[in-house]
Amino acid sequence: LDCSSLHRGSLRSAIRSLFRQTKVMEAPRESVDVVVFSGDALAPYHRLSSDLFARGGKFWAHSFVLCGGCHNLQLEQPRRLTQESLRGHMASSSAAAAAAASASGAGCCLLKRLEEGKVATSAFLHSSVQLQLDLRETAADVVDAWLQYLYTQDDTNFAWPSCMVSSLHEDTVEAERFWVELLRLARKVGDQNLMLYAQDVLVGALTRENWAQLAIVGEQAQCRLLLEAAQMVGVRALQQAMLSSFKVGNGLDASDEELEQSGSLLGAGVSSSSNPAAAAQNKIESELDRRLLNLPPATHQLELAAISALRQGSPSQFADFKHRLAENINSAQRASNQLRQACKFFESGAASGYGGEEGPGSIPWFIEMFCLSALLIFFLVPSSARSFALSSMLLIVEPVRVWFAFIDWSWLGPWVEGVARVAVLNVVLLVILLLVAWTGLKR
């Protein structure tokens, strides 16, 4: 028997039992002790379930589940305290609030106690509800989704609106709005699991139409992953248009006039700077404002709308977007120049002479190929064939050897000593090495 799986199954069953206690319509009399007030639903009424519509903006929850899963929720301290107790409670609550706020970047949400008169005279009479959480600024269907995920931790994409591209534009906009509001609620209450889940869904829903809006949402909710992904989608959507605007080619099909024109656009005032790379990027960033807004509306209507939205909604993110785009343009320009210079180098025949004009003093290519082929053939042929070739060569040079035997070589006596022979060989090798180095430098 697997005890770990039994423990997980028992815990899941217990959590689901607690979740079923929160689905009642009237004020519960069991362990449910929190009422959560919400606003109107985001979705149209014909798409809401009858259960959500009949709740009237009231949801039930357990305080220990809320405080255990959301670190921005704090329990309101009782009012009737002595002076010393009040100071202690204020110090402890302020320290806990500061820790939670520093962890999530948001303030605390208080679980407030219901007023005594309201408990006695309202629908909460004879119920176990003692606390309230005011979320009237959040839609009812968003609050319902948050509570469902908080209790069950299930992937509820099948029940919630999907952000995938739909055939109806209204459905896509509604789904994006729902997940954005869910992300904001998760940050407000400090539900880290739901923040990661909603952020992952929104990253998968990024398109050329909504990247600017989701970049603004990522900045407001301090979601670094969503912000980075939205910026990258925007840079990719506009990079090709900006490369064409700055006349940056691939370096293979560009003429010298086009390269000079591109260099004049990107490198004006760069040569006199101490840091040419930074000066070139600053030049590009200063030109991007005008060139981004001068894109033709007929072909870049979506990009122009996204740029205007980002510029008005978040100037800091618009500046970051321009910086990333300028870096890509500057890198593409440097790569294009280097590739064009390499092409010109090989086209001029100055690289190796294969198929081109040979420089003065260079060895013809067919002689080099013949020597290389002879070496390869000598070492690759079988030993029997190699022995036969050497024997044939000895037969050919035998008359020459006999003729050299009748010549008087006594005058070479002083040069055949050991020291003289080694010195002559060293000089010959040094001359050969210098010739090889000189030939390589000339090439």
Side-chain angles (χ1 to χ4, degrees), residues 179 188 329 336 345 356:
W179 285 99
K188 180 178 181 180
I329 295 174
S336 176
F345 177 73

Side-chain angles (χ1 to χ4, degrees), residues 33-92:
D33 56 350
V34 180
V35 56
V36 182
F37 296 104
S38 67
D40 296 333
L42 286 176
Y45 286 108
H46 66 276
R47 296 189 180 181
L48 295 177
S49 62
S50 58
D51 176 66
L52 185 62
F53 183 74
R55 284 185 175 276
K58 292 194 298 292
F59 297 88
W60 318 108
H62 302 82
S63 59
F64 68 92
V65 176
L66 295 180
C67 295
C70 307
H71 56 71
N72 276 352
L73 292 178
Q74 299 292 329
L75 185 62
E76 185 183 37
Q77 300 299 330
R79 298 178 180 178
R80 297 176 182 176
L81 295 173
T82 61
Q83 192 69 18
E84 292 78 6
S85 301
L86 182 60
R87 291 176 182 175
H89 280 288
M90 289 179 62
S92 61

Side-chain angles (χ1 to χ4, degrees), residues 91-333:
S92 61
S93 61
S94 62
S102 63
S104 66
C108 291
C109 295
L110 290 179
L111 287 172
K112 298 182 180 180
R113 300 182 181 276
L114 292 171
E115 292 82 7
E116 293 181 0
K118 187 173 183 179
V119 173
T121 58
S122 67
F124 303 105
L125 186 63
H126 303 300
S127 70
S128 58
V129 177
Q130 299 293 328
L131 303 170
Q132 63 174 339
L133 178 60
D134 191 359
L135 296 177
R136 291 186 176 91
E137 297 179 355
T138 308
D141 47 353
V142 176
V143 174
D144 182 42
W146 164 56
L147 291 175
Q148 181 177 347
Y149 188 80
L150 181 64
Y151 276 88
T152 62
Q153 300 289 312
D154 288 339
D155 184 3
T156 50
N157 248 334
F158 62 91
W160 299 347
S162 176
C163 273
M164 300 304 166
V165 178
S166 174
S167 58
L168 298 177
H169 180 70
E170 293 79 7
D171 295 343
T172 305
V173 172
E174 177 187 338
E176 291 173 1
R177 184 182 177 189
F178 172 84
W179 285 99
V180 167
E181 292 298 325
L182 190 61
L183 178 64
R184 288 172 175 168
L185 175 61
R187 179 179 178 270
K188 180 178 181 180
V189 300
D191 192 343
Q192 293 294 334
N193 294 331
L194 184 56
M195 280 187 66
L196 295 175
Y197 180 41
Q199 189 175 200
D200 183 64
V201 173
L202 289 174
V203 167
L206 282 168
T207 60
R208 297 175 60 185
E209 299 180 8
N210 62 5
W211 68 267
Q213 289 79 8
L214 292 183
I216 298 173
V217 171
E219 182 187 23
Q220 294 173 352
Q222 298 181 0
C223 297
R224 191 64 185 173
L225 177 61
L226 178 60
L227 183 58
E228 290 288 333
Q231 289 275 9
M232 290 304 299
V233 171
V235 169
R236 290 175 182 175
L238 287 162
Q239 181 172 348
Q240 189 59 42
M242 289 296 99
L243 290 177
S244 302
S245 177
F246 282 98
K247 301 185 183 304
V248 179
N250 55 12
L252 296 176
D253 53 356
S255 60
D256 294 337
E257 292 78 8
E258 292 177 350
L259 287 175
E260 291 178 0
Q261 186 177 5
S262 176
S264 63
L265 290 174
L266 300 176
V270 173
S271 59
S272 60
S273 175
S274 59
N275 191 351
Q281 184 164 337
N282 293 335
K283 174 66 176 177
I284 296 173
E285 289 187 27
S286 62
E287 288 283 335
L288 272 179
D289 272 331
R290 179 176 61 85
R291 293 179 181 272
L292 284 173
L293 297 178
N294 288 340
L295 289 173
T299 56
H300 297 87
Q301 184 176 3
L302 296 178
E303 288 80 0
L304 287 173
I307 291 170
S308 300
L310 184 63
R311 188 176 186 180
Q312 297 175 2
S314 177
S316 62
Q317 291 305 315
F318 181 68
D320 187 23
F321 168 74
K322 289 196 304 179
H323 180 73
R324 294 169 186 246
L325 194 56
E327 281 185 345
N328 290 358
I329 295 174
N330 195 16
S331 300
Q333 176 62 24

